[in-house]
Every structure is written in C-alpha cells, then in structure tokens.
C-alpha cells in the first residue's frame, strides 16, 4: 500500500522516509543497494555532501560524486561550502544534472569544513546563510532544502530561528538533526526540539537522529509530529529498515534479515561498487560496509575480524562464501590467512 505523498515544493515523495546524507557512505552504489533492499519504501535518497569548491573549480573527482543511476529518482544532491557566488554556481551545476532537489549542508561538524565557514558554522552566521539561500533560490527552479543541526552548542540552540528564516527566503523543506555541533554524535538527538521546529514553520520539517528500528521510527515521529524521517546509520546496519517501517505502518511485520540475506546484499553491493569504482576503492568500501552489516549473529565477530584482514574484494567475498558454507571454519582459515 502506497502512503500519502509529502510535497517538497513541486516534488512529491512517498513515503516520507529519506536515506540521510552520509559522507563516505551514501554514494551511488550504497544508495542503489538501499533502494534494492527497501524498494518503494525509500521515499528519497540524498547524496554524500559535495564540495562547492571542487564543483566550481571543475575537480574531476568531485564531479564524479554527482553521478546517479536513472532508477534513483527522486534524488537530492547535497552541497557544502560558504562562498555565496560559488554556492549558487554549484547549485546550478547540480540542477543541470537533472536531480530532483538540491540540499545545503548546515550540519557538518568536521573542523576542516567549519574552519572554512561551511557546514555547522553556517548556523552561527545566520545572516550570511540567508544571503546564500537567497542567491541559490534565485538560481534554481527545482526545490531547495536545508539540513541543519539543533545549533552550535547548548547556549546557542537556534534551529527554530534558522528554519523560520529559511522558510521566509523560499526554502522548501528543512531537515533537523537534533544535536548541536559541539555534541557531534554524542548524546541523543532532541526530537522535542525537532517538534518545536515543526510547529514554527509551514514548510515540511523532517527529523534526523537515532532512527534505527521500527519502534524508534514510530516513537520519534509521534513525539515530534515531524513530516518525515531521515535514516542514516540505521540504514548502514540494516538497509531493509525502510521496508520494515512501512510494513509496520500497514500493520504487518517483516522478519529481520537473516545471515543469508545479509551476505547476499553484500555480494550485490560488491557488484554495484565494481560498476562505479576502481578495485581498490571497491575493496575498502566493501570492507567497511561488511563490518557494519555483519553483526548480531553467531560467528559474526569472527567473520568481521576475518574481513578486516582481506585486501581485495575477491578475498572478502571468498571469506563470506566460506562463512556461509561452514560458519565454524571461516574462523580458523581466516586467522591462518591473516597470520
Ligand atoms: C558517517 C556519517 C557521515 C555523515 N555525513 C553527512 C553529510 O555528508 N551531510 C549531512 O548533512 N549529514 C551527514 N551526516 C549526518 C546524518 O545525515 C544524520 O543526520 C546523523 O547521522 C543522525 O542520524 P542517524 O542517527 O540516523 O545516523 C553523517 C553521519 C554519519 C554517521
């Protein structure tokens, strides 16, 4: 059963469940994997954040990050930076690729980003952010969205003020990660605060932070009254989570993925990575994903350990195959291989 769509400017998403932007994670292969695992339960996917400096200086590696598959619509591309003209220029470049939405990052806490005035630093420079948004809005015909944090620190929580300003200058949706920049990823995302933002503006407000299961999805939505949810780390551990949430809303239960399904998804992820990257990148990304995905079943700790010692994607897939055939043998063989 299809859920009622949420309108973000002219774009409709249904359901209002979004794969959150994650640097180093939500590239094309990972986004495709999540869509394959969760199907139509993924309402929108967002790219990793992409540097406006790299885009406007024609850096090839940065431009490659704009790639997406035709099956990924609706898709949003997130950009970060702080220069007003470059932000507008980059937004126009992004729009020209045919994506559905452009998102601006106001949440990245990384020192190398905030020191240059971008990411969460924009929460401290609201009038500068306003100028950026006005200029980008003028440049775009597709919807513009903003991803913010609660504020910079506990003494400067200003997400309500920023969301009001964004609405006034024509931003079409605000996503709020309910932690401050200083919190990084510690503590809990404040969904009461996300609720305050929701009540303060008329544009859609989505919440982000700690949606990792069906019960947390249900509770965070109810508590905040948000229009939708962003799912980040939960999707890394469980790319079927969107499907499970939608099933729950329809009164059904989908069993959590078993070991076979998880290993199957990793094999598929390898294929998707191979289509997009050279072998070295594939191996590194596959290793990272495997360590996050193989958790909580008998032998998973040993499997993870064996995987960390692999150098190529072929070696890693061999470890998975061996584990599937003989869960007890992978342990000794991989230790031997690692020695
Ligand atoms: C590895 C990683 C990379 C992230 N990169 C981005 C990013 O590029 N842009 C962004 O707006 N948020 C980024 N985030 C924040 C997430 O989008 C999300 O707001 C945050 O992780 C809280 O949600 P979660 O608990 O569902 O993961 C990142 C988070 C993680 C864990």
């Amino acid at each position: 059963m299809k859920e009622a769509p949420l309108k973000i400017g002219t774009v409709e998403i249904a359901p209002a469940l979004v794969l959150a932007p994650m640097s180093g994670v939500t590239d094309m292969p990972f986004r495709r994997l999540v869509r394959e695992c969760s199907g139509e339960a993924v309402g929108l996917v967002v790219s990793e954040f992409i540097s406006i400096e790299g885009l406007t200086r024609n850096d090839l590696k940065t431009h490659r990050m704009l790639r997406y598959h035709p099956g990924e619509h609706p898709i949003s591309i997130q950009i970060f930076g702080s220069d007003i003209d470059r932000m507008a220029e980059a937004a126009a470049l992004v729009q020209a690729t045919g994506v559905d939405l452009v998102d601006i990052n106001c949440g990245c806490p990384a020192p190398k980003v905030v020191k240059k005035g971008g990411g969460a630093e924009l929460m401290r420079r609201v009038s500068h952010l306003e100028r950026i948004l006005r200029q980008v809005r003028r440049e775009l015909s597709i919807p513009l969205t903003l991803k913010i944090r609660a504020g910079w620190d506990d003494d400067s929580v200003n997400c309500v003020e920023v969301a009001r300003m964004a609405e006034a200058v024509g931003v079409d949706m605000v996503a709020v990660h309910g932690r401050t920049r200083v919190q990084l990823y510690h503590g809990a995302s404040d969904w009461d605060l996300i609720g305050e933002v929701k009540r303060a503006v008329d544009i859609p407000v989505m919440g982000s932070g700690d949606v990792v299961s069906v019960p947390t999805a249900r509770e965070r939505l109810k508590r905040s009254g948000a229009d939708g949810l962003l799912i980040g780390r939960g999707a890394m551990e469980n790319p079927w989570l969107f499907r499970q949430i939608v099933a729950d809303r329809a009164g059904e239960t989908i069993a959590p993925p078993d070991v076979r399904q998880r290993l199957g998804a990793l094999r598929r992820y390898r294929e998707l990575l191979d289509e997009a990257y050279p072998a070295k990148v594939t191996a590194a990304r596959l290793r990272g994903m495997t360590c996050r995905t193989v958790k909580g079943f008998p032998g998973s700790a040993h499997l993870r350990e064996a995987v960390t010692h692999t150098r190529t994607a072929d070696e890693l897939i061999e470890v998975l195959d061996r584990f599937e055939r003989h869960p007890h043998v992978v342990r000794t063989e991989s230790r031997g291989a690692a020695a």
Side-chain angles (χ1 to χ4, degrees), residues 222-284:
K222 192 165 170 223
R223 176 194 282 250
S224 63
D227 296 289
L229 302 171
L230 266 64
I231 300 175
R233 289 165 296 179
M236 281 200 256
E237 285 197 16
N238 177 7
W240 295 269
L241 181 54
F242 300 80
R243 197 189 281 280
Q244 291 168 350
I245 294 169
V246 168
D248 174 66
R249 289 174 180 173
E252 297 156 14
T253 307
I254 295 181
D258 60 17
V259 179
R260 211 165 270 273
Q261 267 176 297
R262 287 183 182 277
L263 300 185
L266 288 166
R267 291 190 189 98
R268 176 62 183 144
Y269 185 47
R270 189 260 166 98
E271 289 172 3
L272 294 168
L273 285 166
D274 273 342
E275 284 178 30
Y277 294 122
K280 222 171 149 183
V281 181
T282 293

Side-chain angles (χ1 to χ4, degrees), residues 200-234:
V201 293
D202 290 326
I203 52 174
V205 172
M206 301 234 180
S208 171
D210 316 326
V211 177
V212 291
S213 62
V214 167
T216 49
R218 221 189 279 145
E219 196 273 334
R220 304 300 193 266
L221 206 58
K222 192 165 170 223
R223 176 194 282 250
S224 63
D227 296 289
L229 302 171
L230 266 64
I231 300 175
R233 289 165 296 179

Side-chain angles (χ1 to χ4, degrees), residues 1-33:
M1 194 180 63
K2 196 104 173 151
E3 298 191 10
L6 175 71
K7 263 194 123 174
I8 303 175
T10 49
V11 172
E12 290 192 342
I13 66 165
L17 293 176
V18 180
L19 175 62
M22 286 185 287
S23 171
V25 180
T26 55
D27 55 2
M28 177 170 65
F30 182 74
R31 297 190 307 259
R32 290 181 69 190
L33 180 73

Side-chain angles (χ1 to χ4, degrees), residues 75-227:
I75 178 169
S76 170
I77 298 268
Q78 188 188 66
I79 52 177
F80 75 95
S82 78
D83 182 88
I84 298 172
D85 292 332
R86 281 189 188 278
M87 192 72 92
E89 195 187 327
L93 283 170
V94 169
Q95 173 170 270
T97 67
V99 290
D100 302 283
L101 308 116
V102 174
D103 187 58
I104 291 182
N105 179 301
C106 293
C108 178
K112 68 174 189 217
V113 173
V114 295
K115 271 190 198 141
K116 288 188 182 152
E121 179 67 20
L122 290 172
M123 301 287 299
R124 294 210 281 194
R125 301 167 69 206
V126 179
S127 57
H128 181 72
L129 176 60
E130 182 175 348
R131 288 204 293 279
I132 290 177
L133 294 176
R134 280 188 194 285
Q135 188 124 335
V136 172
R137 181 68 284 171
R138 269 199 295 273
E139 201 66 47
L140 293 181
S141 55
I142 60 174
L144 170 65
T145 64
L146 196 63
K147 175 129 181 300
I148 63 178
R149 280 195 175 236
W152 181 263
D153 60 16
D154 282 350
D155 296 326
S156 58
V157 168
N158 62 346
C159 50
V160 169
E161 177 201 343
V162 172
R164 283 202 176 113
M165 177 277 287
E167 176 176 44
V169 301
V171 167
D172 297 288
M173 182 274 277
V174 176
V176 188
H177 177 192
R179 289 185 177 90
T180 63
R181 186 271 171 184
V182 167
Q183 270 184 291
L184 302 172
Y185 293 91
H186 303 299
S189 181
D190 185 342
W191 285 80
D192 293 324
L193 188 60
I194 294 168
E196 274 182 45
V197 177
K198 164 66 195 159
R199 289 187 294 278
V201 293
D202 290 326
I203 52 174
V205 172
M206 301 234 180
S208 171
D210 316 326
V211 177
V212 291
S213 62
V214 167
T216 49
R218 221 189 279 145
E219 196 273 334
R220 304 300 193 266
L221 206 58
K222 192 165 170 223
R223 176 194 282 250
S224 63
D227 296 289

Side-chain angles (χ1 to χ4, degrees), residues 266 286-294 304 307 316 320:
L266 288 166
L286 188 58
R287 249 193 325 270
M289 182 59 62
T290 306
C291 290
R292 287 187 288 260
T293 308
V294 294
R304 274 206 309 280
V307 160
L316 193 154
L320 299 185

